[in-house]
Amino acid sequence: MSGFDKVVGSYEEAMAGLEDNMTVIAGGFGLCGIPENLIKEIKRKGTRGLTVVSNNCGTDKFGLGILLVDKQIRKMVASYVGENALFEAQMMSGELEVELTPQGTLAEKMRAGGAGIPAFYTATGYGTPVGEGKEVRQFKGRHYILEEAIQGDFSIAKAWKADRYGNLVFRKTARNFNPMAVTAGRIAVVEVEEIVEVGALDPDEIHLPGIYVNRLIQGTFEKNIEQRTVRSA
Amino acid sequence: MALTREQLAQRVAQEFQDGYYINLGIGIPTLAANYIPEGVEVMLQSENGLLGMGPFPREDEVDPDLINAGKQTVTMARGASIFSSADSFAMIRGGHVDLTVLGAFEVDCQGNIASYMIPGKLIKGMGGAMDLVAGADNIIVTMTHASKHGESKLLNTCTLPLTGKGCIKRVLTDLALLDIEDGSFILRERAPGVSVEEIVRLTAGKLVVPGHVPEMQFA
């Protein structure tokens, strides 16, 4: 077996080493492209005190929301958390700390975290509650705030296809935060719908190189839809 | 008469120009996609990573891997492209999107906007709104001019926490189209049948009324 082979045999193995009070960065937007089985494994493990960084926190019944049931999340860093009654209750009672972060800033924090950039300036949030207490600098007459990168003990992500080396291909808008999330985790765990042999993917079509991936597992997915909107034929 | 949601959407769509890349917020802004003028081709950006958003899918086209920023199932238009959230906001922050349309609770005559948080009530988050207002040059805010109780939402200074500072230059309400210049609202158009006096009465922020304020035109 090659040292580049990232495939692990079980979800238990995929999340081995996750401990209480760690930081987990998760890919996904709403319920689209979320690592649903890796989240279920965290629930099964019962790891607590987690800081979770993700654009959203799932719903009451699916995605990251299931980690709220047993109060496994201590702090949530997200841009939008509106779809979840349990989240609201725990936030209001103070059991759950929430750091609201603008969506683009969140994506860039993950990107920077994976790219060795400790912080960056952005105009987003200047003069708003998000900018409070942050360093401000002017460039060409405009105000920017300093935002720090995010890194995780673990990152969990979902891709469509991978080869055994962990080269990843995403599908449609299930890509979203997943590529950056992968890069920002010290241990990056990715679940996919299909693992193919090395060489089967065209190098030009790989969205994220396997160098960022530590563990890879093939799963089956429910892929729940939050807002099923259709037009009549 | 105050504009209906459909008329607001129609008036927004009159601002669409051929070749525009446009980000439409949730609600009335999204409705504007139904009124794209004839002969005008626009491409809709959805900040979760889609440029070239198409209409809602037919039942047999529904794909859980293809949603818009409102988490609704959508389709892709011809010529669409897909990218990560980081690339999506590089586009937005980098000023590459030609027009952004979004809703608000309040705007003020300094160009400030408050749209994501009412203290004491549930805080759901800003999503991409802060990035959108900071990154775009050409923004239209759509909103009702006043609350149900007749309290103006066009103020001298926003009372709610800000989404962005000094970034709004154009506001379309159910009563009027206004620009924001040099610390004042400037009344550009009024809804059909709405008097200048009514708009003045319901605008708390500093307002400049030009000599002639035309009615909005709808096809």
Side-chain angles (χ1 to χ4, degrees):
Chain A
M1 195 177 105
S2 163
F4 295 116
D5 192 331
K6 309 291 171 68
V7 179
V8 297
S10 68
Y11 276 93
E12 198 175 347
E13 202 181 328
M15 293 310 295
L18 180 71
E19 292 170 11
D20 289 355
N21 306 314
M22 280 187 165
T23 295
V24 177
I25 301 179
F29 184 95
L31 298 180
C32 182
I34 58 170
E36 53 181 85
N37 300 297
L38 294 169
I39 294 166
K40 285 176 189 163
E41 173 58 18
I42 295 174
K43 179 168 175 61
R44 192 200 62 78
K45 270 175 89 82
T47 318
R48 301 178 69 85
L50 294 171
T51 295
V52 175
V53 183
S54 168
N55 190 56
N56 314 93
C57 193
T59 60
D60 282 332
K61 297 208 167 59
F62 203 68
L64 289 166
I66 66 171
L67 301 182
L68 296 168
V69 177
D70 298 318
K71 301 179 181 171
Q72 292 175 264
I73 303 177
R74 182 185 62 79
K75 181 179 175 182
M76 187 76 210
V77 181
S79 86
Y80 190 82
V81 292
E83 330 289 349
N84 195 317
L86 210 48
F87 192 99
E88 184 184 339
Q90 290 182 21
M91 181 168 78
M92 291 305 194
S93 71
E95 292 169 287
L96 177 64
E97 187 186 339
V98 180
E99 187 177 319
L100 288 175
T101 304
Q103 199 174 126
T105 295
L106 187 62
E108 193 64 12
K109 277 170 170 266
M110 291 185 196
R111 199 197 69 78
I117 308 283
F120 56 91
Y121 286 101
T122 177
T124 304
Y126 169 72
T128 78
V130 166
E132 279 168 22
K134 289 174 184 163
E135 186 186 319
V136 176
R137 234 182 107 172
Q138 280 193 55
F139 297 92
K140 294 180 180 169
R142 198 160 176 216
H143 292 91
Y144 296 80
I145 60 173
L146 187 66
E147 291 279 9
E148 291 187 15
I150 292 182
Q151 289 176 313
D153 299 295
F154 271 77
S155 58
I156 56 174
K158 152 84 174 45
W160 178 39
K161 278 201 284 196
D163 65 20
R164 298 187 71 90
Y165 286 4
N167 291 310
L168 303 180
V169 179
F170 300 94
R171 184 172 179 275
K172 299 185 179 171
T173 56
R175 188 181 321 188
N176 57 62
F177 281 82
N178 279 296
M180 293 78 68
V182 172
T183 66
R186 194 168 50 78
I187 298 175
V189 190
V190 181
E191 59 173 332
V192 298
E193 294 175 44
E194 186 186 1
I195 297 176
V196 299
E197 287 309 314
V198 174
L201 297 176
D202 180 346
D204 269 333
E205 290 176 0
I206 290 166
H207 294 136
L208 191 74
I211 189 169
Y212 295 107
V213 177
N214 299 99
R215 300 173 189 172
L216 182 68
I217 188 163
Q218 185 174 313
T220 53
F221 297 84
E222 287 181 44
K223 294 195 185 178
N224 287 10
I225 294 173
E226 265 178 85
Q227 308 276 345
R228 190 187 184 89
T229 44
V230 295
R231 69 189 148 129
S232 46
Chain B
M1 279 285 287
L3 298 183
T4 62
R5 286 168 60 85
E6 284 70 25
Q7 285 175 312
L8 275 162
Q10 257 178 293
R11 182 61 193 84
V12 166
Q14 289 175 14
E15 302 292 306
F16 294 179
Q17 292 182 24
D18 196 25
Y20 260 20
Y21 296 101
I22 301 174
N23 183 293
L24 298 176
I26 292 163
I28 288 165
T30 301
L31 280 181
N34 298 333
Y35 300 100
I36 298 166
E38 199 144 326
V40 169
E41 209 178 335
V42 301
M43 214 178 257
L44 301 178
Q45 205 257 15
S46 188
E47 63 265 26
N48 57 318
L50 168 61
L51 187 60
M53 182 166 46
F56 292 140
R58 296 190 177 87
E59 193 63 52
D60 61 351
E61 296 173 324
V62 168
D63 183 343
D65 287 341
L66 187 55
I67 63 168
N68 64 16
K71 287 135 190 163
Q72 298 170 309
T73 47
V74 290
T75 56
M76 293 186 281
R78 211 166 59 94
S81 55
I82 295 277
F83 34 84
S84 73
S85 300
D87 287 332
S88 180
F89 282 93
M91 248 170 238
I92 290 165
R93 225 187 284 105
H96 303 279
V97 176
D98 297 299
L99 175 65
T100 291
V101 187
L102 79 171
F105 301 139
E106 296 174 347
V107 293
D108 69 29
C109 54
Q110 310 302 317
N112 299 326
I113 173 171
S115 68
Y116 85 103
M117 175 177 171
I118 299 176
K121 292 200 180 166
L122 177 63
I123 299 157
K124 293 188 172 187
M126 68 293 282
M130 283 194 182
D131 307 277
L132 282 160
V133 297
D137 191 44
N138 190 11
I139 304 170
I140 301 174
V141 173
T142 60
M143 59 195 294
T144 51
H145 206 99
S147 74
K148 278 176 227 153
H149 313 293
E151 289 158 343
S152 180
K153 297 179 180 181
L154 275 58
L155 308 171
N156 278 317
T157 308
C158 288
T159 62
L160 296 168
L162 297 184
T163 307
K165 196 171 166 67
C167 49
I168 305 302
K169 295 176 195 157
R170 180 155 268 208
V171 184
L172 175 66
T173 74
D174 53 345
L175 305 182
L177 178 74
L178 309 99
D179 286 334
I180 299 173
E181 285 172 22
D182 303 323
S184 297
F185 292 108
I186 301 172
L187 183 56
R188 295 297 184 201
E189 295 177 17
R190 56 201 169 85
V194 173
S195 67
V196 169
E197 290 69 31
E198 184 176 358
I199 295 164
V200 169
R201 185 172 61 81
L202 289 170
T203 305
K206 189 179 168 195
L207 176 67
V208 173
V209 181
H212 174 63
V213 181
E215 280 191 358
M216 291 177 201
Q217 299 294 318
F218 294 97

